[in-house]
Amino acid sequence: MSGADWLSYSLQDFVMFGPQVFLRLFVRINQDLWPWQLLAVITAIFIPQLILRQNIAARRLAVGLMALAWIVSGYGFLVGYFGPISWPAAWFGWAFVAQGLLLAAAVFAGGIHNSRFSVGEFAVLWLIAVCGLPWLAIADSGQWHAVALFGLAPGTTAAAGALALALMTKTWRWLYLPLLVLWSLFSAALLWVLQTWWLLVTPVATLLLVGAGFWLSPRTAQNPD
Amino acid sequence: MADRFSRRQFLITAGLAGLALKSPVLFANTSGSTALSPIMRRIPGTDESTPAIGMGTWITFNVGGDEQLIAQRIEVLKTFFELGGTVVDGSPMYGSAADVMGEALNALDGHDRIFAATKIWTGDESETRAEAARSSRRWGVDQFDLLQVHNLLGWQGHLETLKQMKANGEVRYIGITTSHGRRHREFAQIMEREPLDFVQLTYNVLDREVEDRLLPMAEERGIGVIVNRPFQGGSLFRRFQSEPLPDWAGEAGVGNWAEFFLKYIISHPAVTCAIPATSKVEHMKENMGALYGKLPDADQRQRMADYVRSL
Ligand SMILES: NC(=O)c1ccc[n+]([C@@H]2O[C@H](COP(=O)([O-])OP(=O)(O)OC[C@H]3O[C@@H](n4cnc5c(N)ncnc54)[C@H](OP(=O)(O)O)[C@@H]3O)[C@@H](O)[C@H]2O)c1
């Protein structure tokens, strides 16, 4: 294909579904899973409690729960619901599963540090993400059932999950970073084309929380083992 | 067959009654004898005719496993059939649209009403037959009426196989597609050299480049023309729907903007059919309005093009 041909493509040409179908993915997963998403809500609230304990076992459990959230939102939402209407979404779904496995590996292979850091700020940012971001899908769709919960909706999961950077040792942090950035760029482009303006806040928040994750992480993170 | 025909006629008549209520201008401006006859176009080199308005499925039919939206799309296809449509265009590139079309055809028992057109969309030139077979399973049709090489991807190899498939009776018509005005020079060369039944290209009241070369060439070489992006992907409505139609629209057989855009296209003598896509029953009714009544003549077409440019 010539350069001029490529120039004739717009972002729009690569999005093969409309906003209605996309927003209904949130509604459908919530309807299909009811009432099990309450577990996701409880988990989202429980994670900062664990972090506030400044204790390595609790911290590992928190990261383990985050790992599960990546896997469930990747396999459930992205592969199961989003994948049939978008191939890139299915690929991202498998990448989310891999990200969850990476976090789980960090838990077992000493990738979670033992050092003290500003857990209060972590908890506040976490709660802002898991309590604030879910409403954006409601704002765009006008439907309560579209609530984008942590652990189910990939956007909210990635945004809150970005804070795990604060808990990881240096090497693991760099392994964890690429998907956060790629996902943010992909979803920002997608939401832009779909003109779901409220939801567009989520990838922006994710990138800000990536920054916060690095900022919160202690300079000299101690490997606990 | 006779039974099926009368049922089909009944459905079309019932659908048209609804259309008449929706678009009284259209019917008021047509003589009684033509009001109920869809505008048909002969496929060049054959005795077969197809309705001049078909439908596309890009984006609109890609709804995955969403039962609620699948039910809505079934209604859209039902309306299309009721108003006399037959030509449906798809592609393996359109995600779940082929599966949704298959489900809709099953629900409506529509396999024998449809002129099924899909595409070959793979860079692997040895995959032509396999991909056509996968698509026919997804649509639930025994074979396609028309197979087109999508956006010229791997066209040399695919076209060779398609020619063999046509000779063996595995497909009735073959063609190539492009859109957005891309690769028109190469497209013209293929039209000159290859025995194509159809070409598919972008043409609408704003994107008129094909009027210079491709449409006259298709007419001269006896190649049918399917027009994609008749509403420029919907942007024509976003730009012009808030504007008034010209005073003389009724004289050109036009009662609303959908008819304005579509009748401009199908009144070109080289065009076989336009394939607008929609996810809404109301829009399908508007679009199918263009299949009936008067068409603009050459002068009126020029005025239509001038009018949108003046807005
Ligand atoms: N290279 C290729 O082979 C190629 C490329 C492009 C397209 N195609 C084919 O051509 C078909 C048509 O092109 P397209 O889908 O890109 O664009 P299009 O038909 O020009 O426009 C579709 C858009 O117009 C809107 N619309 C339809 N009827 C309307 C009405 N009466 N009032 C207001 N809005 C209306 C639809 O929205 P609603 O859903 O809200 O009605 C949809 O967003 C495709 O579906 C595909 O089958 C082929």
Side-chain angles (χ1 to χ4, degrees), chain A residues 21 28 85, chain B residues 59-66 69-70 73 96-97 100:
Chain A
V21 183
R28 286 169 60 211
I85 60 166
Chain B
I59 296 185
T60 51
F61 269 62
N62 182 22
V63 302
D66 191 327
L69 296 186
I70 291 173
R73 298 314 183 262
S96 62
V100 173

Side-chain angles (χ1 to χ4, degrees), chain A residues 1 5 8-10 12-18 20-21 24-25 28 31 81 84-87, chain B residues 58-59 62-66 68-69 72-73 92-96 121 151 180 182-183 229 279:
Chain A
M1 206 169 352
D5 267 334
S8 69
Y9 283 87
S10 68
Q12 193 108 40
D13 296 326
F14 298 96
V15 177
M16 50 196 232
F17 49 86
Q20 181 204 25
V21 183
R24 276 203 36 91
L25 299 175
R28 286 169 60 211
Q31 285 176 340
Y81 285 78
I85 60 166
S86 165
W87 299 297
Chain B
W58 164 245
I59 296 185
N62 182 22
V63 302
D66 191 327
Q68 184 178 316
L69 296 186
Q72 286 176 11
R73 298 314 183 262
M93 184 195 166
Y94 301 169
S96 62
W121 181 66
N151 286 349
H180 300 72
R182 291 178 193 127
R183 295 170 77 177
R229 293 179 55 81
S279 55

Side-chain angles (χ1 to χ4, degrees), chain B residues 154-220:
Chain B
W155 69 268
Q156 287 96 335
H158 291 316
L159 213 46
E160 280 315 305
T161 315
L162 288 178
K163 286 189 258 180
Q164 287 165 19
M165 288 175 73
K166 185 180 167 189
N168 297 343
E170 295 166 69
V171 61
R172 300 198 306 127
Y173 302 110
I174 62 175
I176 54 174
T177 82
T178 185
S179 67
H180 300 72
R182 291 178 193 127
R183 295 170 77 177
H184 278 185
R185 191 173 305 163
E186 193 180 356
F187 205 75
Q189 285 164 1
I190 303 170
M191 285 172 73
E192 257 160 19
R193 282 204 305 264
E194 298 289 344
L196 302 172
D197 301 307
F198 279 97
V199 288
Q200 187 185 131
L201 41 75
T202 296
Y203 177 42
N204 57 58
V205 71
L206 286 187
D207 301 313
R208 297 171 53 203
E209 189 195 322
V210 294
E211 286 176 357
D212 298 336
R213 179 141 187 238
L214 295 186
L215 291 180
M217 188 190 278
E219 213 176 345
E220 188 188 302

Side-chain angles (χ1 to χ4, degrees), chain B residues 58 89 151 177 200 228 231 233 277-280 283 286-287:
Chain B
W58 164 245
D89 177 71
N151 286 349
T177 82
Q200 187 185 131
N228 62 38
F231 302 138
T278 181
S279 55
K280 300 189 178 71
H283 288 170
E286 281 181 11
N287 299 348

Side-chain angles (χ1 to χ4, degrees), chain A residues 59 113 115-119 121-122 125 162-170 173-174 209-222:
Chain A
R59 201 174 276 184
H113 66 73
S115 310
R116 294 186 77 81
F117 74 105
S118 316
V119 287
E121 281 160 24
F122 179 102
L125 288 172
L163 286 171
L165 288 165
L167 305 167
M168 300 168 98
T169 56
K170 200 170 166 200
R173 224 182 281 151
W174 289 110
L209 288 166
V210 165
F214 274 100
W215 175 65
L216 286 174
S217 60
R219 289 275 142 71
T220 50
Q222 298 286 310

Side-chain angles (χ1 to χ4, degrees), chain A residues 26-31 37 138 141-148:
Chain A
F26 296 91
V27 174
R28 286 169 60 211
I29 197 164
N30 282 325
Q31 285 176 340
Q37 58 267 69
I138 298 175
S141 66
Q143 292 189 63
W144 292 104
H145 287 121
V147 62

